[in-house]
Amino acid sequence: MNKNRDMTSVPLPASIIDRHKLSDDTSLFRVRLDDPETARSLAVIPGQFVQFSVPAGGEAPISIAGLPGSDGVLDLCVRRVGHVTDMIHALPVGSKVGIRGPYGNGFPVDDWRKRNILLLAGGLGIAPLRALLHFLLAHRAEFGEITLMYGAREPAAILFKEELAELSGRRDMHLFLTVDFASEEPPGGLTCNTGLLPGLLEGVNFTTKNTVAAICGPPALYRCMIEELQGFGFPPDAIYLSLERRMKCGVGLCCHCAVGNLFCCTDGPVFRYADLRGIRGAL
Amino acid sequence: MAMDFLPTGSIPSFLETLAPFGEVHGPTMTDDGVSAFGRIASPTGLRLDYQRTLLPPKKYLLPPVETVLTYSPGERYRHPPLTDENIVLFGLHPCDLKGIAYLDTVFTARGSDPRYRVRRQRLTLIGISCEPDENCFCGDVDAADPANFDLFLERTAAGFHITSGSPRGEEIIAALAPLLVERAPLPVSRRECAFASVIMAAAGRGETFPDSHLWEDFAARCLSCGACSLCCPTCYCFDIREYGGLDGATAERLREWDNCLFTGHGEVAGGFNFRKNRRDRFHYRYQHKYLGFGPTRGAVACVGCGRCREVCPVRIDLLELFKEEGDEQKP
Amino acid sequence: MNRPIIAMAGLTACSGCQLTLLNCEEELPELAERYILAYFPMGLTERVITGPIDVAFVEGAVSTPDDLEILIKLRSRSRYLVAFGTCALWGGVAAMNNHEARNTLLETVYGKGGVELKSFNPQPFRHFIKVDFAITGCPPEKAELLTTLAALLRGTFPVFPRYPVCTECRNRENRCLLIEDNELCLGPLIQAGCNARCPAVGIKCEGCRGPVAEANVAAELELLLGKGFMREEIERRMRRFYPEWDYEQRS
Amino acid sequence: MSSVLEINPLTRVEGHGRISVHLSGKRVERVTLALTESPRLFEALLVGKGFEEVPEIICRICSLCSTVHRVVSLLAIEKAFGIEVSEQVHLYRELILHGGHIQSHALHLFCLVLPDRYGAAGLPDLAAMAPKALQMGLRLKGAGNLIQETVGGRLIHPVTLIPGGMGKPVSREGLLKLKETLESLLPEAWQTYELFRSFPQPSGSLGSPRFMAVRSGSSPHLFGKALMLGPTRSVPVEKYRQTLGERVVEYSNAKTSCAVEGPFTVGALARLNLGLLLSPKAAEAFQECRNLIMKRDIRANNLAQAVEVIHAMERSLEIVETLLGADFARERPARVTPRSGEGSAAIEAPRGSLIHSYRFDGRGLCTAADIVTPTAINQSTMERDLLLLAQQLEGASDREMTSALEQLVRAYDPCISCAVHLVRHQPVG
Ligand SMILES: Cc1cc2nc3c(=O)[nH]c(=O)nc-3n(C[C@H](O)[C@H](O)[C@H](O)COP(=O)(O)OP(=O)(O)OC[C@H]3O[C@@H](n4cnc5c(N)ncnc54)[C@H](O)[C@@H]3O)c2cc1C
Ligand code: SF4
Ligand code: SF4
Ligand code: SF4
């Protein structure tokens, strides 16, 4: 997995084999490395990301949003926000792209065995947590209770709706959805609360004992979620956050993503709150 | 007594002897009167009595801008071939040698950057002793003792005592044999480092001077011109940009020196900035220079060359943070 | 975009931006092949703007009702409109005296009768219309124009770095005219991209590319005052390409 | 029944202009040429600016002529303050002017005029119809550009040339590159002349113009202290206003120079007619086509420009060689001590005589500026010729008329940008 550490290492040739729209500004791109050998041998830890290159546009760090199966296809859920992501969105199926990675530490799933897992996703934060959830469900027996709480701006902004509908039928996990504004019914028969994610937390019954929380979302979400979770009795070392920073290389060289004396790309992007607490500007 | 002395008059022959090891570069003076490392075409171009060059030697390892990848539909992303020849970099002061050692830990320790590695292998480093001026403070950051050289020249009135620091250095000394004469060794001397203890202690305990009024003062005056980090031998932040060709098919990816005091350094999509103001950016700069992060965590990056103090148009000096602290410690 | 349809037009200006295109001697044949140049009075006989345009590159400041009319017409016909050059983006030389009454200027040049000429204070585009992209410079750099054209083939605009002229100046190891020679160099305030052309030939930066993002105007002003320049002279020089400086701004 | 044929905007000319042909039935009554470029009030902008700023600002008057405006403004300023520049500086100024001539003539001949000769709508068409010729033209223009960029530090609005001297002179490598480029392109300069000579010459005549050019010694020259008004007559540059009046025309944003002695024509044709001393190859060409140029109307101007391209290339080469041989050291610019006073200077720009005149106060601030551009000088004859030609073409279709009149304007190689930024108003008379 570390064989691509080189900053200037060449993005591996890859192709978009499928794409579909998840919301107005977000689409899921299914990308496969052109070399089948490498594609199959891709080992991914949930929470890791790749550097996604679009020729003549550049690169952007994108979380791996699902575990690559035996076909080695990467699920990359990309929101259009600027130069590179605009260009990615303009690419039709079949386009040639480049992939470096996977990079980053990912969630320490090995340490979490036997524990209850609370996944808290805000907006696009669902992307890495989806990979995590897939992992947990694939190894269901090794973990305790699994709860996913997911908040989106509005019903139309909920990503992976069909998949969520399916998950909501599962007995071996809990799913809670909330939207900030509900001007319409959520599609696909999803049950959905109205209000912000922290509010949802309050209304739901769950155990904090032997539980770890994994959070991913916009910067503002972290601040209030952490307060909330601590209020519920979560110790700082049971709260895991996946952070976003500007990144140019993904391998600890370009020096844009430091959080205190840690690098988001190589020490993270997943951090324990315990390790971020004292760091100015971390959240 | 050792056969290690090169009389000053032998410098031209010395340069000739170096030629087979690579193109000789060293301190020169541009026609603008700027001290800069450049090719030494003839001994008269060499300025061994220089104080400090404007850009540090890092430009030989990480050029200010370079194409790191090319793209074409057939070949996809590729490294452009490196064309750099072997270079003998002559006349490096100990601080610059230490600066290169620091970059080595970042860019080669874990085999991180192939371009850096290749260029580094093609570089022969020849150091020379120096006399500090009012901007120098290498002693205070433990960078005064020569290290990380292939060859080092200790200067005396009549010439240079030569030490080798690597097998390549030995080779050069062997080639130099006819030029060397016998001379008594120099007495060991150490530089006064009044301030070293303060800096090292602060760095050691991860001091961030959270309450210092200097941050605001720096932030108010800094022009974000970038000079301090461009001219810093150990600053290596870089930006990556990619541009398409006019043929509509090919592209080039550039790597360019960046600076933590620029607006865009901590900015993410949508205009959110993790280091919104100059104050936050100065904390970042301090963090990198004195506390480190990533592979350099815990290492003091500053080598005391004094460049940032000299090139800052508004005379901002991070050392003042420690000075203030030093003052407070005095009874 | 497959063969983007391009328009090149000029308002109140010296045509330098348009000439920058004609000065791409080497690339012109390739450009003619890859783009449809639908409107370019400087190089074409075609004199009406017809049909939709993908990208309009428009130079010059807006200083007459005619200028405004052309600008609005181009805006409404074009998918993207690029403010091409310092005048279009910042106001440029024609706007340097915007703080003075326009009539006085007109009278100085054309005499009393001249005031009848219908013109107003030269303004940058953003005072009137939405601008999608800008290429700064008086004149603009050829390389930035070509990079922009190349990006258009992929339906996008390029990302240019946002740092001041000093950055490129230091990287070229030029002598710093501000520090070493106490000259009134505006490099610290000005958007780079010219590779510090002027200091590289020993001439101070006159600021032809307009302000850099988050310029520390107040600090540069203090620095220059400290070197003994008169406030009046400093402001006069700063206004040459951009009349709207906020002299208190620090970030 | 009266009608107006409007040609608006004029295309393939520098700047914005409009021709109106006033017709009464098929009879041409009147032709007006309006320079509709938005006014930029340069002379007023200069008032209150320091003398150092004047060249930097004034070159923005026009991108095609930025070099010539910069150089002539330096001369006027130096005149006002009594400064002499070194030989090196003078050589560089002359070199950059020649670069400007090469670039301007090549651009005009190949990009603006040549499409007419091939019946092409513009450059892209021309690129398809006569790719070889166009590329040759672009290479020549490129050489002119290279000179200006190398000497001036920047192609449009050059920066190195300042009052009293210059910034960094060109490096040896830069000079060698110029030498190589110029040498390799000399044959193409000659081919350019042959190409323009090969085109059919205009039929009919618009009469022989009164020519004017800057004079040094007894013949036209790039620099000079007098304006030559014919083979024997001349006036000192400072007295230019006595020869060239100026009026604001109600339909035009430029101020027309209304010469007191009847309208003058300036430009390449004028210089050759008045006896510009040509370099060897250029002289050879001129000898060959002499009778197509001497005493001809403005439509011969394009051929004259082609001859001048050869001249400018050869002369540039000579200067580059002198610079290489002399191996000058870098000089500090002469110190300028401002004093109150006035200075006027004239040079030959590609399009003809260009005059700058400034008044400064004791602090070196500009109190008055006056600029006379070649296009302004030519405007009266341009209108007169347009009328003559339109009358000769009475009855022709609108398309024919439009194309012929536009070509006539192009022959003058007008620079409307420059013309519209004219001088302090002085009522004529
Ligand atoms: C670990 C990690 C995982 C991420 N996962 C996803 C994901 O799954 N889906 C998704 O849509 N987005 C994700 N992002 C954010 C995504 O990388 C940015 O939105 C994207 O880089 C924006 O680039 P742009 O060129 O489109 O935007 P612009 O604003 O135009 O950005 C301009 C430049 O800034 C850089 N840049 C801007 N924002 C960021 C940023 N946040 N991080 C790094 N560089 C940036 C880009 O490289 C680009 O060169 C993730 C970010 C990180 C750090
Ligand atoms: S050199 Fe000085 S002014 Fe420039 S960025 Fe550094 S601290 Fe700021
Ligand atoms: S010369 Fe001007 S642009 Fe260059 S570093 Fe100095 S202040 Fe900046
Ligand atoms: S250095 Fe300054 S004046 Fe010169 S080109 Fe660059 S921005 Fe313009």
Side-chain angles (χ1 to χ4, degrees), chain A residues 141 171 176 184 191 196 270:
Chain A
R171 294 284 178 86
F176 300 96
E184 47 181 314
T191 333
L196 300 177
V270 178

Side-chain angles (χ1 to χ4, degrees), chain A residues 61 63 77 79 82-85 124 244-248, chain B residues 269:
Chain A
S63 304
C77 171
R79 172 178 289 174
H83 183 63
V84 176
T85 49
L124 190 62
E244 180 182 352
R245 281 294 185 277
R246 188 178 192 113
M247 263 176 211
K248 287 295 177 181

Side-chain angles (χ1 to χ4, degrees), chain A residues 26 47 49 57 59-65 76-86 124 127-128 242-248 264 269, chain B residues 239-240 267-271, chain C residues 159:
Chain A
T26 308
F49 63 97
E59 257 185 349
I62 301 293
S63 304
I64 301 170
L76 301 173
C77 171
V78 181
R79 172 178 289 174
R80 275 184 84 141
V81 291
H83 183 63
V84 176
T85 49
D86 275 355
L124 190 62
S242 176
L243 294 191
E244 180 182 352
R245 281 294 185 277
R246 188 178 192 113
M247 263 176 211
K248 287 295 177 181
C264 185
Chain B
D239 188 17
I240 297 282
E267 205 172 58
V268 297
Chain C
V159 175

Side-chain angles (χ1 to χ4, degrees), chain B residues 222-228 259 261 282 311-314 316:
Chain B
C222 170
L223 299 165
S224 290
C225 70
C228 50
N259 180 311
L261 291 163
F282 267 105
V311 299
C312 178
V314 293
I316 287 172

